[in-house]
Amino acid sequence: MAPELALTRLMTLQRESLERLDQASAALAAALTPVWTAGRTHTDPLDDIEVLRDPKTIAEWFATFQEQATPTS
């Protein structure tokens, strides 16, 4: 294949790839914007803290936490 044709094909493929990336980015931004906006109104960091005092509840929470954990490699 002639260099000019090869480079034209390469540029076409890169433009198509960039267009797909642009579309995916726009869709992701649209999906994340409502979550981000809702999170901006959340101002109390203590809302995410749960105090556990009962040993049985602590053991149950810990067992659930372990079941949901995934190993890292």
Side-chain angles (χ1 to χ4, degrees), residues 5-72:
L5 292 175
L7 291 172
T8 299
R9 179 168 165 77
L10 177 63
M11 291 302 296
T12 299
L13 292 172
Q14 290 298 320
R15 286 185 183 105
E16 290 170 356
S17 177
L18 188 57
E19 180 62 29
R20 286 190 302 274
L21 181 60
D22 186 47
Q23 291 172 358
S25 296
L28 184 57
L32 291 175
T33 297
V35 176
W36 178 77
T37 301
R40 291 186 54 126
T41 61
H42 182 81
T43 57
D44 188 359
L46 297 180
D47 284 347
D48 296 325
I49 296 174
E50 182 178 352
V51 178
L52 304 175
R53 292 190 175 91
D54 177 52
K56 182 182 176 194
T57 303
I58 294 169
E60 290 170 355
W61 180 89
F62 186 72
T64 301
F65 186 72
Q66 282 185 315
E67 290 171 5
Q68 295 174 354
T70 55
T72 59

